[in-house]
């Protein structure tokens, strides 16, 4: 019996890791339920292609039934290759809808030349996609934001917005009418880059509108990438912090009732260690410690992924 080539083994390992990461997020946040109709927002970038691809794999093996429909918003940017997504989606047999809305002209008319257009463009795009989700009868809207996007958003809000806030893996939409999910919440961007190369997705460039890049987000991204190189495991530890919030040890009076504190009161996360030196681990936990990292003083544990491992009856 001949051995599989090394590159094939590595590709299989990557695919399995992505399936488990997506399945873990779905399970942890109850993102997908029996009978759901999920609108997968497809931009033509690596993240949304990978999201659709992994969800299709899980759909084939999951113990529950759910529908997928891919939706792309053609905003009429000059040079947008209209044929790419319809041809790709038809070739893989996924139901889809291409929505044509000339938001590009609206943005160009409203925003002064040289000003950043992304904010208005995003609001217009969001409104259209909410409308389409209602028309399709979608119960969930799936977006392709990954772990790195979530951390970048946290630092952007800390540095520039004065808020400890990130992108949630699951939340009600801002108009209150939809559930928005981010199944790639546990996935590393560099894994998505490798996966896109492996699958040879027909990537559509994101700079067709000629908009200025989000320089602040780019700076944050470069900072995190540099940390990841110098301090392996730091990114995993920071993301774990988003899952291990201790309100009593922060300073938000709406999240914790500091005014009513009394002596002898038992606190879930312990009292103040004002006179003790803060203990710092000698190393950051890494992905090798487990499929899902939990930093709460206990060793990291592997999580059995139901969606990725349990076949349909």
């Amino acid at each position: 019996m001949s051995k599989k080539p090394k590159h094939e083994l590595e590709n299989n390992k990557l695919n399995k890791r992505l399936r488990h990461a997506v399945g873990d997020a779905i399970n942890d946040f109850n993102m997908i339920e029996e009978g759901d109709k999920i609108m997968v927002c497809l931009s033509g970038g690596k993240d949304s292609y990978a999201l659709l691809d992994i969800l299709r794999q899980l759909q084939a093996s999951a113990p529950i039934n759910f529908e997928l429909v891919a939706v792309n918003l053609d905003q009429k940017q000059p040079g947008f290759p209209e044929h790419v997504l319809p041809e790709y989606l038809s070739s893989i047999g996924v139901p889809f809808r291409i929505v044509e809305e000339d938001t590009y002209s609206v943005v160009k008319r409203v925003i002064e030349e040289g000003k950043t257009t992304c904010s208005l463009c995003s609001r217009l795009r969001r409104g259209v996609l909410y409308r389409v989700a209602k028309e399709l009868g979608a119960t969930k809207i799936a977006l392709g934001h990954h772990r790195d996007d979530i951390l970048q958003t946290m630092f952007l809000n800390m540095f520039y917005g004065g808020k400890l806030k990130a992108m949630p893996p699951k939340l009600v939409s801002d108009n209150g009418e939809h559930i928005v999910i981010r199944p790639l919440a546990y996935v590393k961007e560099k894994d998505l880059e490798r996966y896109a190369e492996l699958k040879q997705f027909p990537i559509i460039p994101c700079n067709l509108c000629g908009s200025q890049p989000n320089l602040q987000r780019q700076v944050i991204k470069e900072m995190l990438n540099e940390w990841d190189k110098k301090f392996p495991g730091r990114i995993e530890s920071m993301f774990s912090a988003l899952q291990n919030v201790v309100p009593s040890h922060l300073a938000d009076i709406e999240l914790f009732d500091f005014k009513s504190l009394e002596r002898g009161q038992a606190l879930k996360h312990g009292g103040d260690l004002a006179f003790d030196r803060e203990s710092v681990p000698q190393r950051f936990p890494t992905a090798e410690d487990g499929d899902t990292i939990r930093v709460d003083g206990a060793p990291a544990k592997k999580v059995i992924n139901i969606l990725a491992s349990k076949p349909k009856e």
Side-chain angles (χ1 to χ4, degrees):
M1 184 176 178
S2 59
K3 292 183 179 180
K4 291 183 178 180
K6 183 179 179 180
H7 72 275
E8 185 176 342
L9 292 173
E10 291 178 350
N11 291 342
N12 289 340
K13 186 177 180 181
L14 173 61
N15 182 262
K16 183 178 179 180
R17 182 162 68 249
L18 291 177
R19 283 170 56 102
H20 275 267
V22 173
D24 283 344
I26 291 171
N27 290 333
D28 287 351
F29 295 92
N30 192 31
M31 291 184 184
I32 299 178
E33 300 169 277
E34 176 70 35
D36 267 340
K37 184 172 186 178
I38 301 169
M39 186 178 96
V40 183
C41 298
L42 198 65
S43 65
K46 69 180 189 314
D47 305 330
S48 58
Y49 273 125
L51 172 63
L52 178 62
D53 191 75
I54 298 298
L55 286 179
R56 289 183 68 226
Q57 294 181 43
L58 296 181
Q59 183 186 40
S61 61
I64 60 173
N65 295 297
F66 59 91
E67 295 180 56
L68 297 173
V69 56
V71 171
N72 169 255
L73 174 56
D74 178 357
Q75 298 176 269
K76 297 304 175 184
Q77 299 102 323
F80 183 79
E82 298 178 358
H83 65 285
V84 171
L85 286 170
E87 289 178 2
Y88 172 76
L89 294 168
S90 297
S91 70
I92 62 175
V94 171
F96 68 92
R97 180 169 171 182
I98 306 297
V99 182
E100 297 185 8
E101 291 280 349
D102 190 3
T103 60
Y104 174 81
S105 295
V106 174
V107 170
K108 285 298 184 182
R109 185 174 69 250
V110 173
I111 303 296
E112 295 180 25
E113 190 68 31
K115 299 289 185 180
T116 302
T117 60
C118 296
S119 178
L120 175 58
C121 184
S122 295
R123 289 200 300 273
L124 293 172
R125 184 170 63 246
R126 185 165 65 242
V128 173
L129 291 173
Y130 285 170
R131 187 200 76 212
V132 174
K134 185 181 294 186
E135 292 172 358
L136 292 173
T139 55
K140 306 280 173 62
I141 299 175
L143 303 179
H145 298 122
H146 46 70
R147 185 198 66 179
D148 300 66
D149 286 325
I150 293 173
L151 283 174
Q152 289 165 23
T153 301
M154 181 186 74
F155 280 102
L156 280 169
N157 280 313
M158 286 177 62
F159 293 170
Y160 304 105
K163 293 182 180 179
L164 196 57
K165 171 185 173 183
M167 285 178 177
K170 177 183 178 181
L171 198 65
V172 177
S173 62
D174 60 350
N175 68 359
E177 296 181 354
H178 308 281
I179 295 292
V180 178
I181 60 175
R182 294 180 171 89
L184 299 181
Y186 293 166
V187 177
K188 306 174 185 178
E189 183 174 22
K190 57 187 176 184
D191 280 347
L192 292 171
E193 291 170 350
R194 287 180 54 205
Y195 194 68
E197 292 176 6
L198 166 67
K199 302 291 287 189
Q200 295 185 319
F201 295 132
I203 303 296
I204 297 175
C206 62
N207 60 351
L208 291 173
C209 60
S211 65
Q212 299 172 351
N214 187 327
L215 298 180
Q216 294 173 336
R217 180 173 287 275
Q218 184 61 32
V219 169
I220 296 294
K221 180 176 181 178
E222 291 172 0
M223 178 189 77
L224 293 177
N225 287 341
E226 187 67 19
W227 283 355
D228 194 32
K229 292 176 184 177
K230 289 185 176 180
F231 310 103
R234 175 176 284 188
I235 302 300
E236 284 82 356
S237 183
M238 287 192 297
F239 187 82
S240 291
L242 295 179
Q243 301 172 287
N244 291 276
V245 179
V246 184
S248 62
H249 289 56
L250 295 174
D252 191 325
I253 59 176
E254 292 188 7
L255 289 181
F256 187 79
D257 188 5
F258 292 96
K259 293 182 179 180
S260 301
L261 275 177
E262 298 179 354
R263 287 179 296 174
Q265 182 175 337
L267 298 176
K268 180 179 179 181
H269 296 95
D272 199 300
L273 302 176
F275 301 102
D276 289 358
R277 174 169 295 206
E278 198 71 29
S279 60
V280 178
Q282 295 302 306
R283 60 180 288 273
F284 294 106
T286 65
E288 283 68 33
D289 292 321
D291 291 330
T292 297
I293 305 296
R294 295 286 187 269
V295 183
D296 55 3
K301 299 177 181 178
K302 285 186 176 292
V303 177
I304 298 176
N305 187 314
I306 297 175
L307 279 179
S309 60
K310 184 175 179 181
K312 287 184 177 180
E313 299 295 334

